[in-house]
Amino acid sequence: MSRFKVSKFRHTEVRLPRREAWISDIRAGTIPSYGNHIKSSCSLIAFNSDRTGVLGIVPLEGQGEDKRHVTHLGCHSDLVTDLDFSPFDDFLLATGSADRMIKIWRLPAPGQALPSGPGLVLGPEDTKVEVLQFHPTVDGILVSTAGPAVKVWDVAKQQPLTELVGHGDVVQAAVWSQDGALVSTTCKDKQLRIFDPRAKPEASQSTQAHENSKDSRLAWTGTQEHLVSTGFNQMREHEVKLWDTRHFSSALTSLTLDTSPGSLMPLLDPDSGLLVLAGKGGSQLYCYEVAPQQLALSPVTQCFLESVLRGATLVPRRMLAVMGCEVLRVLQLSDTAIVPISYQVPRKAVEFYEDLFPDAAGCVPASEPHAWWAGSNRQVQRISLNPARQPHPSFTSGLVPPAEPSLDAARPVELPTGDEDPSVSSEGFSSPSSSLISPSTPSSLGPSLSSTSGIGTSPSQRSLQSLLGPSSKFRHAQGTVLHRDSHITNLKGLNLTTPGESNGFCANQLRVAVPLLSSGGQVAVLELQKPGRLPDTVLPTLQNGTAVTDLAWDPFDPHRLAVAGEDARIRLWQVPPEGLKEVLTTPEAVLTGHTEKIYSLCFHPLAADVLASSSYDLTVRIWDLQAGIERLRLQGHRDQIFSLAWSPNGQQLATVCKDGCLRIYEPRSGPEPLQEGPGPEGARGARIVWVCDGRCLLVSGFDSQSERQLLLYSAEALACGPLAVLGLDVAPSTLLPSYDPDTSLVLLTGKGDTRVFLYELLPEAPFFLECNSFTSPDPHKGFVLLPKTECDVREVEFARCLRLRQTSLEPVAFRLPRVRKEFFQDDVFPDTAVTWEPVLSAKAWLGGANGEPRLLSLQPPGMIPVSQAPREAPTRRALSSAHYLEEKSDEQKKEELLNAMVAKLGNREDPLPQDSFEGVDEDEWD
């Protein structure tokens, strides 16, 4: 072939569509990943939406004049990093995610309900999945990357056939050659590798691809000998190279484009040899013809886009308008639309041109996975694109068989484009039954536990509730930061990086323990009875010798502090009664047994000297502090334990785990869980606490879209799922619940938040009653609830908390406005449990004994309960003005009216306002 042969694509034109042809009203995501963010089959388009773990699904072709409706598929609990349609089955979609899972989905035809779950799941991987691609000739073979690992999967068996090794860093691209024999990869170590996965797991060839380690991509031409790579050079300019696998030491040719931070996506059509280069975040498309015989990348055309490009993909060749000489169609993903961009070669006659449209690969796989793995290299039968020779045989993959259509299947629901925030489950789709509910109207997911709410209401209140719904008597609660005289200021060197499983600091009625950032795991102990400015000198501390992960005061010994460290040890410190006056380096005792870093500590609520701890070794251990040894060990967790909590009676212990499960144990009965149930969908963190007198469990966590939410469970039926789910807001920190059993109020906030939510919890519908929240001007670093005895009952203060700021510690009082504050509000302050006196010894509890705490009245001496207060004497009601007017004569009424009018007009001798205004000279009018 002459190197000066004229290209048939030299006159190719780019046709940008009118806005009517755009797929608009979408909200695309801009997540950082090595994927293209959008893929197309012959029937559907899938793209990354702006919601975490959610894909938008829309038909490729519109139906007549009807607008194409976008539906949304909740795929994963974390970001969707890459996706790919099967080359043979238009409705088979593979998705990879930062949640380390790969899922295979059977999508329905347009107009039908999206699936509630995946057909197959691969993984989990060791780290987030980066790239995946179906095999071009075999149905059921998939390549995926996760960190430096590259695996070739037999999807039907859900097992990897082989793992390609030798990568020194994160793999950025993994692509099959068109004949399906080879896999090429690019890596952050700058190497371009070629593998024959059926021959050996090591690379058969390797060379340096680009000089910069930023995002690089690959695309094979129609032969096994040539491929294209894109990346960055040392000047951070976009770079494109053409490679010959037979001479792999250097590129055949290369070219440099613009300077842009976004990755350059190569969209290569192997049949025509046309290459479209699309830069993420850019506004241009470059088109080149790949001509390996001429050792060149020949420019064809270039176009400017109307909006910023977030992703791009090619429409399958079988869907091109061949009679209009459309040789390529690119789908551009922007922030709010999908724009189809057509590349056409102008020809005079409207007919089929075989020189422009050679036969393309069909949709029937060439062989089975086992045959390919055994060495078969059969190729997919090619079909003509000539409309006169259609239709062609179709294929439906057996990996995920199509579901039988249901008569009452719900129509797909559009994702709202306004301010609504629909809930999307990690395995389902948006629907009215799963929509997010506002904080004041939680969604009920289960039956109520009783028929009454326990709130006494008058007939007039009940009639109002029938219109507005029930409300909490604490709805007007007011949070107030107490006077500065009660603050502890001049705090320095706070450790603000404690694990998310820890509250960050702890307090009892006497002291506050705060981890410091200095080396050695130092903990400062501050006296609450000595507020004021701390000295500028170094504070006396507890020297733990290792970073602090959690800490807790002994509820029955206000001088004993338990501190967990990264060295898997628990140190017990005894603080002198007069306070910490000097540095302590030797703890009272050290508990050893855990083999990994400890997550959290929790003292038993009734038994003295009993402590529970959770660790990265996936166990919960229960310690006898008097003997200094481990007594019980709880097992069954498959991932990180986010939180644990004792039941109010101390007989059970509940945990929430990163594996997506809640568990309830009876530690003295056995090491395995008594119950298991589904936990929050998100895996970013969670907390658990017993509520409603131990009948329910409250879990704070994240949904699949990283929205913070509350889930209320029946402690008797974890497996049935939550009774109610309440969505709150989107924020990175886990909500830390502080529960007051006397009022059934829970206070919720996160590290770095400025708002504290208050809810009254009920064991039956409506489950959550919203109260006034507390907002601070600056974010707090921690927030803990103090014992009930610290409340000022005379001021109707039902809760007192400590708020940790960057340099100070301030008390916050939550009070209820009441008219007759001179009386004891016994409806707000029932008898409270004496939590500072143990009911049992460790030996007795471990031996099977149970007990109940003693109750204490909070009624101050001399105050009468408001329920026993004398009724107020009725006051004479003021008569209406009409009554007084009726007693006056007409002359009196006229006189009063005139006097009132004169009084409003004022003194007529007073100057008018305009009298002080300056006039305008006659010559100024000109």
Side-chain angles (χ1 to χ4, degrees):
M1 177 185 294
S2 170
R3 63 180 300 179
F4 300 106
K5 181 179 178 180
V6 177
S7 171
K8 57 191 173 187
F9 300 110
R10 65 188 183 279
H11 298 304
T12 299
E13 299 176 351
V14 181
R15 304 285 177 87
L16 295 173
R18 295 181 300 175
R19 286 186 175 266
E20 291 79 6
W22 292 13
I23 304 173
S24 53
D25 297 330
I26 70 167
R27 292 180 290 180
T30 57
I31 61 170
S33 73
Y34 297 124
N36 286 10
H37 303 329
I38 182 172
K39 288 293 175 68
S40 173
S41 70
C42 292
S43 300
L44 300 173
I45 302 170
F47 62 92
N48 283 96
S49 76
D50 63 344
R51 298 180 180 275
T52 302
V54 179
L55 293 181
I57 309 294
V58 65
L60 176 64
E61 301 291 343
Q63 302 294 325
E65 297 297 327
D66 293 340
K67 180 182 177 181
R68 283 177 279 187
H69 294 283
V70 179
T71 55
H72 288 79
L73 177 70
C75 300
H76 295 270
S77 60
D78 210 333
L79 301 174
V80 177
T81 52
D82 200 13
L83 62 153
D84 192 33
F85 278 104
S86 166
F88 310 112
D89 190 330
D90 294 344
F91 302 97
L92 196 68
L93 177 69
T95 60
S97 170
D99 65 6
R100 305 182 296 145
M101 306 299 292
I102 301 170
K103 298 182 180 181
I104 312 297
W105 302 84
R106 164 66 62 185
L107 301 181
Q112 298 180 6
L114 290 174
S116 60
L120 293 169
V121 178
L122 310 179
E125 297 292 81
D126 293 333
T127 184
K128 71 175 182 178
V129 177
E130 300 285 1
V131 177
L132 51 83
Q133 187 189 26
F134 277 108
H135 196 279
T137 67
V138 181
D139 179 45
I141 298 293
L142 181 82
V143 66
S144 71
T145 74
V150 180
K151 294 182 180 179
V152 177
W153 295 86
D154 185 334
V155 178
K157 296 181 179 179
Q158 298 174 267
Q159 294 179 351
L161 292 171
T162 185
E163 181 172 347
L164 309 181
V165 299
H167 298 95
D169 210 324
V170 175
V171 177
Q172 299 168 328
V175 184
W176 291 103
S177 61
Q178 293 301 314
D179 61 1
L182 303 177
V183 174
S184 60
T185 65
T186 56
C187 183
K188 207 168 183 179
D189 62 8
K190 307 178 186 179
Q191 292 294 305
L192 167 59
R193 296 175 174 87
I194 295 181
F195 294 84
D196 183 348
R198 294 176 294 182
K200 59 181 181 178
E202 295 82 13
S204 57
Q205 296 186 78
S206 177
T207 189
Q208 180 174 328
H210 300 273
E211 295 177 344
N212 198 307
S213 64
K214 287 188 68 177
D215 194 356
S216 60
R217 304 294 182 88
L218 289 173
W220 285 87
T221 66
T223 68
Q224 196 184 89
E225 288 79 26
H226 299 98
L227 70 158
V228 172
S229 69
T230 63
F232 295 83
N233 60 19
Q234 282 186 328
M235 304 301 295
R236 296 189 177 181
E237 298 172 315
H238 280 150
E239 190 176 50
V240 187
K241 291 187 177 183
L242 177 64
W243 301 88
D244 188 333
T245 58
R246 297 164 297 185
H247 309 284
F248 208 50
S249 58
S250 61
L252 293 178
T253 185
S254 65
L255 59 91
T256 301
L257 301 178
D258 55 356
T259 301
S260 176
S263 58
L264 191 64
M265 296 176 287
L267 309 176
L268 178 59
D269 176 22
D271 293 330
S272 65
L274 291 178
L275 171 68
V276 175
L277 300 170
K280 287 184 181 179
S283 57
Q284 297 183 59
L285 293 180
Y286 303 90
C287 184
Y288 289 83
E289 183 179 5
V290 180
Q293 295 81 1
Q294 302 176 28
L295 307 179
L297 294 170
S298 306
V300 175
T301 185
Q302 179 181 349
C303 81
F304 291 89
L305 307 174
E306 295 185 33
S307 54
V308 174
L309 185 141
R310 300 302 181 190
T313 190
L314 290 179
V315 170
R317 197 163 176 78
R318 301 194 300 273
M319 297 305 295
L320 298 178
V322 294
M323 301 306 291
C325 295
E326 183 185 36
V327 293
L328 276 183
R329 191 188 309 166
V330 176
L331 297 179
Q332 175 211 350
L333 179 66
S334 68
D335 289 324
T336 58
I338 297 174
V339 184
I341 302 171
S342 178
Y343 288 76
Q344 299 178 8
V345 178
R347 294 287 174 95
K348 292 182 179 180
V350 179
E351 60 182 67
F352 180 75
Y353 293 92
E354 294 195 5
D355 62 322
L356 295 179
F357 302 102
D359 291 352
C363 59
V364 178
S367 57
E368 297 291 329
H370 64 86
W372 174 82
W373 185 245
S376 173
N377 286 320
R378 292 181 58 188
Q379 297 301 299
V380 174
Q381 183 177 1
R382 305 185 75 79
I383 58 174
S384 173
L385 298 181
N386 190 342
R389 301 181 187 177
Q390 295 180 6
H392 299 292
S394 61
F395 175 81
T396 300
S397 174
L399 293 175
V400 183
E404 292 295 329
S406 173
L407 296 178
D408 58 350
R411 288 184 58 83
V413 178
E414 292 184 67
L415 195 67
T417 58
D419 295 332
E420 298 178 16
D421 195 8
S423 174
V424 183
S425 70
S426 64
E427 306 280 351
F429 65 99
S430 174
S431 68
S433 62
S434 62
S435 61
L436 284 179
I437 310 299
S438 68
S440 60
T441 56
S443 60
S444 173
L445 302 180
S448 62
L449 298 183
S450 66
S451 58
T452 61
S453 65
I455 299 179
T457 55
S458 65
S460 61
Q461 289 174 323
R462 284 194 293 270
S463 62
L464 184 63
Q465 288 179 5
S466 65
L467 296 175
L468 304 179
S471 60
S472 171
K473 61 185 174 186
F474 298 97
R475 62 190 179 276
H476 299 304
Q478 299 173 352
T480 306
V481 177
L482 298 185
H483 192 270
R484 187 174 176 83
D485 291 345
S486 61
H487 298 189
I488 297 176
T489 60
N490 199 33
L491 280 173
K492 296 181 179 180
L494 297 182
N495 183 4
L496 304 178
T497 59
T498 52
E501 293 76 29
S502 170
N503 287 348
F505 77 112
C506 64
N508 59 19
Q509 63 270 31
L510 298 179
R511 300 183 176 91
V512 181
V514 183
L516 300 182
L517 191 60
S518 53
S519 60
Q522 299 184 41
V523 176
V525 179
L526 311 176
E527 299 291 322
L528 287 177
Q529 307 303 321
K530 299 178 181 179
R533 179 182 173 87
L534 295 175
D536 292 327
T537 56
V538 178
L539 295 174
T541 59
L542 307 176
Q543 300 275 356
N544 289 276
T546 185
V548 175
T549 56
D550 197 18
L551 64 172
W553 288 103
D554 189 333
F556 310 120
D557 184 351
H559 309 298
R560 181 158 67 174
L561 179 70
V563 180
E566 288 190 349
D567 60 356
R569 297 183 178 184
I570 301 171
R571 293 168 175 82
L572 301 177
W573 297 90
Q574 194 71 28
V575 179
E578 66 276 9
L580 199 60
K581 302 296 184 182
E582 59 183 4
V583 174
L584 296 185
T585 58
T586 305
E588 179 187 45
V590 178
L591 308 178
T592 59
H594 281 296
T595 58
E596 298 286 346
K597 183 172 71 172
I598 296 171
Y599 295 126
S600 52
L601 302 174
C602 188
F603 277 94
H604 195 281
L606 301 179
D609 299 318
V610 176
L611 175 70
S613 62
S614 63
S615 164
Y616 272 93
D617 60 16
L618 307 186
T619 65
V620 175
R621 307 193 186 207
I622 297 175
W623 307 84
D624 181 348
L625 303 187
Q626 191 172 17
I629 58 176
E630 170 193 334
R631 294 291 190 184
L632 302 170
R633 185 182 304 182
L634 308 181
Q635 302 172 347
H637 300 94
R638 297 185 292 272
D639 208 328
Q640 179 182 353
I641 305 167
F642 284 139
S643 177
L644 73 162
W646 289 101
S647 62
N649 60 15
Q651 298 177 26
Q652 296 180 327
L653 186 140
T655 65
V656 57
C657 183
K658 194 175 182 180
D659 62 10
C661 289
L662 303 182
R663 295 175 175 86
I664 292 180
Y665 293 83
E666 285 189 354
R668 295 174 295 182
S669 300
E672 298 300 325
L674 185 68
Q675 290 187 69
E676 286 193 18
E681 297 169 355
R684 296 176 56 182
R687 289 298 185 94
I688 191 168
V689 62
W690 294 78
V691 298
C692 301
D693 297 323
R695 287 184 286 169
C696 297
L697 284 166
L698 179 71
V699 177
S700 65
F702 296 86
D703 67 3
S704 59
Q705 303 168 27
S706 297
E707 183 188 41
R708 299 196 292 191
Q709 62 176 193
L710 301 179
L711 302 94
L712 190 67
Y713 295 79
S714 167
E716 300 296 327
L718 279 190
C720 296
L723 298 172
V725 178
L726 177 67
L728 293 180
D729 59 2
V730 177
S733 59
T734 305
L735 284 169
L736 311 177
S738 299
Y739 180 68
D740 178 17
D742 296 341
T743 59
S744 290
L745 284 175
V746 62
L747 295 84
L748 300 128
T749 190
K751 298 177 186 176
D753 287 4
T754 58
R755 182 179 181 185
V756 180
F757 298 94
L758 271 78
Y759 287 94
E760 183 178 356
L761 303 178
L762 305 176
E764 69 282 328
F767 300 106
F768 297 96
L769 297 179
E770 186 177 12
C771 306
N772 278 348
S773 59
F774 166 75
T775 304
S776 56
D778 59 324
H780 37 253
K781 311 305 177 184
F783 204 88
V784 299
L785 183 67
L786 290 175
K788 196 76 172 183
T789 51
E790 300 304 302
C791 296
D792 187 351
V793 175
R794 295 182 182 273
E795 293 296 325
V796 200
E797 180 183 326
F798 59 86
R800 180 171 294 192
C801 301
L802 283 180
R803 176 174 177 260
L804 180 65
R805 301 173 62 201
Q806 184 82 34
T807 59
S808 65
L809 192 70
E810 56 188 31
V812 181
F814 289 87
R815 294 168 177 168
L816 199 62
R818 287 289 174 96
V819 176
R820 308 178 72 186
K821 291 170 60 175
E822 66 273 16
F823 295 101
F824 173 64
Q825 309 294 318
D826 51 350
D827 61 326
V828 177
F829 300 103
D831 291 349
T832 188
V834 178
T835 58
W836 55 92
E837 293 179 0
V839 178
L840 303 165
S841 66
K843 182 178 180 181
W845 181 81
L846 290 168
N850 296 314
E852 293 293 333
R854 180 171 64 87
L855 298 180
L856 174 71
S857 174
L858 296 175
Q859 180 179 345
M863 287 191 77
I864 301 173
V866 71
S867 60
Q868 302 174 13
R871 295 178 62 87
E872 292 180 336
T875 58
R876 183 175 180 268
R877 189 175 60 183
L879 298 175
S880 65
S881 59
H883 175 79
Y884 293 104
L885 290 174
E886 289 173 359
E887 296 177 352
K888 299 175 183 178
S889 65
D890 291 341
E891 289 298 320
Q892 290 174 320
K893 296 176 187 178
K894 187 181 296 185
E895 183 68 19
E896 287 185 359
L897 183 60
L898 286 173
N899 291 338
M901 292 174 65
V902 170
K904 283 187 174 293
L905 288 173
N907 192 342
R908 285 180 290 180
E909 300 299 326
D910 293 340
L912 296 172
Q914 55 264 38
D915 292 342
S916 62
F917 293 169
E918 295 183 1
V920 179
D921 295 333
E922 292 295 331
D923 57 342
E924 290 186 84
W925 288 107
D926 299 329

